[in-house]
Amino acid sequence: MEEINRQYLQNSSGLDFQVEPVLVNPEASRTAQGLMKYLCSIYGRYMLTGQQIGVLSTPELDMIHEATGKYPAVAGFDFMNYSPSRVERGAECRDTDLAIEWWKRGGIVTFCWHWNAPKDLVDLPPDRSWGRGFYTEATTFDVAKAMSDPDSEDYRLILRDIDAIAAQLALLQEAGVPVLWRPLHEASGGWFWWGAKGPEPCIALWKLMYERLTRHHGLNHLIWVWNGQHAGWYPGDEYVDILGEDIYPPKHDYSSQKERFLSAASYSKRNKIIALTENGVVPDPDRMAKDCTPWAWNCTWYGEFVFREEDGRRVYSGEYTELEQLRKTYHHPWTITLDGLPDWEVWIGS
């Protein structure tokens, strides 16, 4: 199978995988537009391989290369330790620099933000420590209260935190790095504080972040990726470029996750690219083709999903995705790895 036929996918799934490369930000940068153009050109025909790196230890990309002989096309990073309530407690982060380096190597960059609550951290180790301050159980910060009063201290702290991340995003923009930007993820689950009070304050927070980053800070290199995982939490097509789902199936379950793909497709009234923005097990490309489930990219989570400690060294762990299955995916004719990406200077300039 050299290439999945896009017309076959359309006819058998009822979905249209032709997506116009138009971003919701009318001032989107040339690099963001170029990356979106590329994503639209391959959508429905190829899946980009992807991998999230760890927060403090980052062996995942090299582990994938050691296991498969290939690097992923997409690398995932996290602004978590740039959160002001973590910085003031001594947290450090290099993800901005690492992301710039990855783009210079020719890779695609995606960022999430495990946003430590601006204040009111419970700080009762181990489960409710400040280091887990993005979880609902580890903070009493009330997002509904904050969003209801723009004159309040809590609202000002939300702006402070967004501005802190804007400073990091600005460095990426200055370096010419387009970013698949995935904030406020998994909100409908309620386990993160931004989703703890229901959809209304979370949607308001998404729109505030969009306006603050694009209008106030002039950050035009962002492609807005939403994965709130429930239709009732969707902020609207005018605020979202790409839809994502985070899926952690049972170990060695290589199914296409077609039901979740179709669920994501139903959130929008327009054709949107749909990505597997987090995964534990890597889905089988052949099953994806059979089920007409062309995730635009996958992004395997870090740590135990990739490696284990053995005799004082790190080795690939097949606990979630067996080694032969991973190799199959990274060498499949329908997947793209780092070496299969275009020359971005040529592509974006085209």
Side-chain angles (χ1 to χ4, degrees), residues 194-210:
W194 51 85
K197 300 297 181 179
E200 291 184 6
C202 187
I203 290 172
L205 182 57
W206 178 278
K207 293 178 178 179
L208 171 66
M209 184 181 293
Y210 176 84

Side-chain angles (χ1 to χ4, degrees), residues 141-155:
F141 186 79
D142 188 329
V143 63
K145 179 182 176 183
M147 294 305 296
S148 68
D149 185 1
D151 294 323
S152 68
E153 177 195 15
D154 290 1
Y155 187 90

Side-chain angles (χ1 to χ4, degrees), residues 83-155:
S83 302
S85 67
R86 296 176 79 89
V87 172
E88 66 190 17
R89 289 168 170 81
E92 299 179 352
C93 195
R94 294 186 56 240
D95 281 41
T96 300
D97 293 335
L98 293 172
I100 292 172
E101 292 173 9
W102 183 249
W103 174 254
K104 288 179 178 178
R105 290 177 63 180
I108 296 171
V109 169
T110 183
F111 262 95
C112 66
W113 180 18
H114 281 86
W115 184 352
N116 237 54
K119 69 169 192 175
D120 298 331
L121 301 177
V122 175
D123 208 7
L124 291 175
D127 294 336
R128 305 175 73 191
S129 67
W130 67 262
R132 293 172 59 83
F134 41 86
Y135 283 119
T136 300
E137 65 179 2
T139 180
T140 60
F141 186 79
D142 188 329
V143 63
K145 179 182 176 183
M147 294 305 296
S148 68
D149 185 1
D151 294 323
S152 68
E153 177 195 15
D154 290 1
Y155 187 90

Side-chain angles (χ1 to χ4, degrees), residues 152-339:
S152 68
E153 177 195 15
D154 290 1
Y155 187 90
R156 289 194 295 272
L157 288 174
I158 282 177
L159 292 181
R160 177 204 66 179
D161 285 14
I162 293 173
D163 291 348
I165 301 308
Q168 299 301 319
L169 289 169
L171 294 175
L172 291 159
Q173 180 165 256
E174 291 167 10
V177 183
V179 176
L180 298 171
W181 172 227
R182 186 177 66 99
L184 306 183
H185 63 293
E186 300 176 14
S188 64
W191 45 78
F192 297 134
W193 63 263
W194 51 85
K197 300 297 181 179
E200 291 184 6
C202 187
I203 290 172
L205 182 57
W206 178 278
K207 293 178 178 179
L208 171 66
M209 184 181 293
Y210 176 84
E211 296 295 335
R212 188 77 176 177
L213 293 180
T214 59
R215 307 287 183 252
H216 181 78
H217 288 288
L219 297 172
N220 298 319
H221 64 312
L222 307 178
I223 297 175
W224 289 78
V225 182
W226 181 85
N227 86 291
Q229 317 226 117
H230 190 285
W233 295 65
Y234 190 52
D237 285 340
E238 66 272 31
Y239 291 97
V240 174
D241 292 306
I242 292 175
L243 299 164
E245 290 286 295
D246 293 358
I247 307 176
Y248 289 86
K251 298 174 181 179
H252 303 168
D253 177 355
Y254 305 122
S255 59
S256 67
Q257 304 298 327
K258 180 178 182 177
E259 290 185 3
R260 292 288 295 275
F261 186 92
L262 294 176
S263 178
S266 72
Y267 302 155
S268 172
K269 296 179 181 178
R270 306 175 190 171
N271 288 340
K272 300 275 188 183
I273 288 175
I274 303 171
L276 184 56
T277 41
E278 283 185 28
N279 59 278
V281 178
V282 180
D284 185 284
D286 289 328
R287 298 191 192 186
M288 291 165 57
K290 180 181 178 182
D291 293 341
C292 303
T293 308
W295 300 105
W297 71 84
N298 80 286
C299 193
T300 307
W301 206 242
Y302 62 87
E304 65 178 341
F305 297 102
V306 181
F307 67 88
R308 69 177 189 276
E309 300 287 341
E310 184 178 282
D311 299 327
R313 64 190 184 93
R314 289 169 172 158
V315 298
Y316 180 78
S317 171
E319 184 177 0
Y320 293 87
T321 302
E322 295 161 291
L323 179 58
E324 287 307 309
Q325 182 66 32
L326 185 76
R327 287 173 175 166
K328 173 185 175 179
T329 299
Y330 270 71
H331 290 270
H332 198 279
W334 186 37
T335 62
I336 297 174
T337 52
L338 179 64
D339 57 338

